[in-house]
């Protein structure tokens, strides 16, 4: 099977909620010598985007999305150990990762946390549905370190809290102590500029590159 066929298979197992098939396809991708990052970005994540579009068009409902998410998690069980082997740096900095308050979408967040960890960041994972107070507390606790916030928001509603995060950092006099990278499907560069964050990234691999760049500034 060609690499493109394996990528199509990864995509299709997500779209058809084929929980076992997805794990198998992930194993096939690794056996074919594909990088886990490629399998995720060009296979699994493409499937998740199709699922999102189908949900928006009312062609599928929440239970199907949950099954697709389960399929994705199954494939990630295979790919994550490989991702973690791609150690390229050490002592790069500390990344506080989280999903904004009111939002429980954690697939992208976990991918970003894994990729940052694999690139030498010490990870403080605050999890999902995280209030800004908790984020600010964590920044205070880690003040003095080379620090980056890597926050996710998958809904337009939770994305609004990113603005509040920046405002809260400024109010506490902490804005210059930490770099801020926000991501998630609704987040655009225009939004990042509007709220005064430092950067965004399209996917987990890019997030690692962007975070490393920010640490050098
Ligand atoms: Co959910 N959902 N959902 N959902 N969901 C979305 C997000 C919609 C866009 C679907 C749609 O309408 N088209 C929509 C939001 C609409 C909006 O606000 N504009 C939506 C909705 C409405 C909802 C509910 C409200 C539905 C309901 O209950 N009626 C509900 C909300 C629950 C809540 O959070 N309070 C809900 C629930 C669910 C689940 C539970 C069924 C499931 C989540 C399971 C889980 O995460 N454990 C789910 C899913 C899976 C999705 C979609 C289909 C896929 C999300 C996903 O995992 N993508 C999503 C559709 C979409 O996003 N287009 C849909 C794959 C990952 C790999 O991509 O974008 O998360 P990612 O992350 C990337 C990238 O953005 C970047 O790197 C990541 C890795 O490559 N990145 C960062 C992410 N974070 C970063 C941080 C950085 O610093 C840098 C880069």
């Amino acid at each position: 099977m060609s690499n493109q066929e394996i990528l199509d298979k990864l995509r299709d197992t997500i779209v058809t909620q084929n929980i076992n098939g997805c794990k198998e396809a992930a194993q096939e991708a690794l056996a074919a010598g594909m990088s886990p990052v490629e399998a995720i970005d060009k296979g699994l994540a493409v499937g998740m985007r199709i699922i999102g579009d189908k949900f928006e068009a009312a062609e599928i409902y929440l239970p199907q999305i949950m099954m697709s998410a389960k399929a994705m998690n199954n494939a990630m069980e295979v790919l994550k150990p490989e991702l973690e082997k791609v150690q390229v740096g050490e002592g790069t900095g500390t990344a506080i990762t989280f999903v904004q308050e009111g939002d429980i979408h954690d697939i992208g967040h976990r991918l970003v946390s894994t990729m940052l960890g694999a690139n030498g960041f010490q990870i403080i994972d605050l999890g999902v549905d995280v209030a800004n107070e908790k984020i600010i507390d964590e920044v205070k606790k880690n003040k003095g370190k080379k620090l980056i916030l890597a926050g996710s928001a998958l809904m337009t509603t939770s994305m609004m809290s990113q603005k509040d995060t920046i405002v809260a950092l400024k109010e506490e006099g902490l804005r210059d102590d930490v770099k801020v990278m926000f991501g998630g499907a609704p987040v655009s560069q225009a939004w990042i500029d509007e709220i005064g964050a430092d950067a965004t990234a399209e996917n987990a691999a890019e997030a690692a590159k962007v975070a490393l760049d920010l640490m050098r500034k």
Side-chain angles (χ1 to χ4, degrees):
M1 206 184 274
S2 71
N3 277 10
Q4 189 53 54
E5 283 167 332
I6 296 173
L7 291 171
D8 292 348
K9 190 170 173 184
L10 283 163
R11 178 200 63 203
D12 293 345
T13 53
I14 294 283
V15 175
T16 57
Q17 292 94 34
N18 182 348
I19 291 174
N20 293 328
C22 204
K23 196 169 191 167
E24 276 168 30
Q27 281 157 347
E28 282 174 42
L30 293 182
M34 199 182 291
S35 83
V37 173
E38 187 178 4
I40 293 164
D41 284 345
K42 297 189 179 160
L44 300 171
V46 178
M48 286 309 266
R49 273 198 294 279
I50 294 173
I51 282 294
D53 292 345
K54 282 179 178 285
F55 178 69
E56 207 162 5
E59 287 172 26
I60 58 163
Y61 299 96
L62 219 48
Q64 281 109 315
I65 298 197
M66 289 172 88
M67 295 301 277
S68 291
K70 199 162 182 208
M72 173 104 186
N73 285 336
N74 255 3
M76 284 308 297
E77 272 176 32
V78 175
L79 299 174
K80 197 174 168 207
E82 294 305 310
L83 272 181
E84 286 166 346
K85 282 185 195 162
V86 196
Q87 292 277 355
V88 297
E90 252 179 46
T92 311
T94 299
I96 301 173
T97 69
F98 56 89
V99 181
Q100 218 79 41
E101 189 166 19
D103 197 332
I104 60 157
H105 294 90
D106 70 346
I107 296 174
H109 154 75
R110 284 188 288 120
L111 275 172
V112 170
S113 301
T114 301
M115 280 304 282
L116 292 180
N119 280 273
F121 283 88
Q122 187 208 335
I123 304 296
I124 300 173
D125 185 345
L126 300 181
V128 299
D129 188 15
V130 182
N132 275 319
E133 294 74 23
K134 195 169 171 186
I135 299 166
I136 298 298
D137 278 354
E138 207 56 49
V139 173
K140 282 182 185 161
K141 271 192 227 162
N142 288 282
K143 202 175 162 181
K145 294 182 185 169
K146 280 171 82 181
L147 207 56
I148 181 165
L149 291 184
S152 307
L154 264 287
M155 299 188 292
T156 41
T157 44
S158 55
M159 189 181 79
M160 293 301 149
S161 303
Q162 294 178 337
K163 189 173 186 172
D164 301 333
T165 309
I166 299 286
V167 170
L169 285 171
K170 285 182 181 161
E171 280 174 1
E172 297 285 339
L174 294 167
R175 182 64 188 93
D176 294 337
D177 296 304
V178 62
K179 300 290 182 193
V180 183
M181 174 175 67
F182 285 136
V187 177
S188 64
Q189 185 58 49
W191 174 248
I192 294 296
D193 295 342
E194 183 185 328
I195 66 176
D198 294 307
T200 184
E202 283 281 315
N203 54 49
E206 193 190 319
K209 280 188 205 137
V210 169
L212 288 169
D213 272 356
L214 287 174
M215 290 293 96
R216 284 186 207 108
K217 285 182 182 161

